[in-house]
Each structure stands twice: as C-alpha cells, then as structure tokens.
Amino acid sequence: DGGITQSPKYLFRKEGQNVTLSCEQNLNHDAMYWYRQDPGQGLRLIYYSQIVNDFQKGDIAEGYSVSREKKESFPLTVTSAQKNPTAFYLCASSTINYGYTFGSGTRLTVV
Amino acid sequence: QKEVEQDPGPLSVPEGAIVSLNCTYSNSAFQYFMWYRQYSRKGPELLMYTYSSGNKEDGRFTAQVDKSSKYISLFIRDSQPSDSATYLCAPQETSGSRLTFGEGTQLTVNP
C-alpha cells in the first residue's frame, strides 16, 4: 500500500535534548512538508522540500532542522533551541493535481 | 489578518442534521479549494477537492466556492456520529503549490 509513515507515534524529550522525527513516503511524491499542530492554532508550516537536497523554511522554522537526502525521506530534528516543542507534528507529501497526503502524526512531549 | 479564516467552533448537532462549515479568504489568487477531515489524534485526510467557483457533490458532502465573495462552504447532509471530526479548509493558488490551512472547525454529531 502506498502511503506516508511517521515514527514514532509518541516521543518524549528531556530539556536540552535534540530529537529526530521520521517521515517516509512511498508515493513517489516530489514535495514533502512538516507541520506543527497546537490546540486552537491550526496547522503551522515548519519546513518544506520540493526536490531532493533542497528545502525552505516555513512560518515557524526556528529551533527545527531538516534534511532531504532521498526522495522518500524527510526527517525533522527538534533542537534544544526550540523552547516550546510539545505539540503534534504532521508530515505530508504532495504531487501536482492532488492535495496533500498526511502521515498519522507524532506527538512530542517535553518531560 | 490571516489569509484564511475559519470559525473553530466547537459545533454540536444532532444526528441527521444538515451541517454547514465555512471559511473566508483574502487571497484572490486562490483557485483550488480543498476540505480535509481530521479525526482525533490522526492526520488529516482529503475529503473534497474543487477548482474555481461552483459546487461539487460527493455523496452526503457538497463543497461550494464563491470566488466573488471569497467564501468557501462544506455542507454535510444527514450527518452521522462518524462525521464527528475537525474539518479544515485549505485553498491553493496553483495545482501543486503550498496549501494554506484554516484553523479547523471541530464538529460533534450526537446520536
């Protein structure tokens, strides 16, 4: 089955730690995206990539980093510089003539 | 001012009711209009995808776009408890370009 897989489903981070969220797709989509979702704030774009080895900052990129070394993979690192990382993180991919396909999300909690 | 405005609700209706969900937008360049449905703790899934003004029907769901007033609507007929979810509108300038998401409206259909 084609789809987009995020892992882990739940993640706990200690203060000062970097953590990496995985996103893998087998849809052969060129573009991939990372969103953060907080209650009452909708989806906010963190980073996006339209081709391999290229990515752009979204609206709230501070404290996050990404890489796009393979078409199928777009991992997101939440660094210690992100002061309020507790949120639900969603990865998506897209191609022309269709909307986004989302993963099932990773819930990150600072402990 | 946000590019896309959506009443976050919550909206609670009895089973069988007709539901109207709405968004307004400010960007005249938006040409493609999508509605996503998001169940609790899940990623959004594409529900409806329309181009330009007019209506599109899919079963119990009807998407309506009025570009002259920059108004987007989603109607749900004979609503069911399984329709309980958050609904996000997402317009787009060109096919394949970034989506701009509304905040989402939380809907509960009571049996």
Side-chain angles (χ1 to χ4, degrees), chain A residues 62-82:
Chain A
E62 186 175 348
Y64 300 96
S65 66
V66 293
S67 62
R68 186 86 186 277
E69 297 176 2
K70 297 187 299 181
K71 188 175 184 178
E72 302 78 21
S73 178
F74 191 41
L76 173 74
T77 296
V78 184
T79 74
S80 57
Q82 172 49 240

Side-chain angles (χ1 to χ4, degrees), chain B residues 49-95:
Chain B
Y49 182 10
T50 57
Y51 171 70
S52 195
S53 287
N55 292 359
K56 183 175 182 179
E57 190 174 317
D58 184 2
R60 296 184 296 110
F61 297 89
T62 300
Q64 190 173 79
V65 177
D66 182 347
K67 290 187 72 179
S68 63
S69 58
K70 298 187 179 66
Y71 199 79
I72 313 165
S73 299
L74 178 70
F75 298 98
I76 307 174
R77 291 187 302 280
D78 187 25
S79 56
Q80 302 295 308
S82 58
D83 295 328
S84 298
T86 296
Y87 291 81
L88 302 111
C89 63
Q92 187 182 41
E93 290 187 13
T94 60
S95 179

Side-chain angles (χ1 to χ4, degrees), chain A residues 6-19:
Chain A
Q6 289 187 243
S7 61
K9 193 173 180 66
Y10 298 97
L11 188 58
F12 298 90
R13 191 191 95 167
K14 293 181 180 179
E15 295 283 351
Q17 253 185 354
N18 292 353
V19 291

Side-chain angles (χ1 to χ4, degrees), chain B residues 14-70:
Chain B
E15 184 176 351
I18 297 174
V19 176
S20 173
L21 303 167
N22 308 294
C23 290
T24 59
Y25 63 92
S26 56
N27 185 350
S28 299
F30 287 145
Q31 296 188 74
Y32 298 85
F33 303 90
M34 302 181 200
W35 283 94
Y36 283 81
R37 177 174 61 194
Q38 184 178 20
Y39 291 114
S40 181
R41 303 176 190 272
K42 302 288 186 184
E45 55 179 343
L46 183 64
L47 190 61
M48 299 283 285
Y49 182 10
T50 57
Y51 171 70
S52 195
S53 287
N55 292 359
K56 183 175 182 179
E57 190 174 317
D58 184 2
R60 296 184 296 110
F61 297 89
T62 300
Q64 190 173 79
V65 177
D66 182 347
K67 290 187 72 179
S68 63
S69 58
K70 298 187 179 66

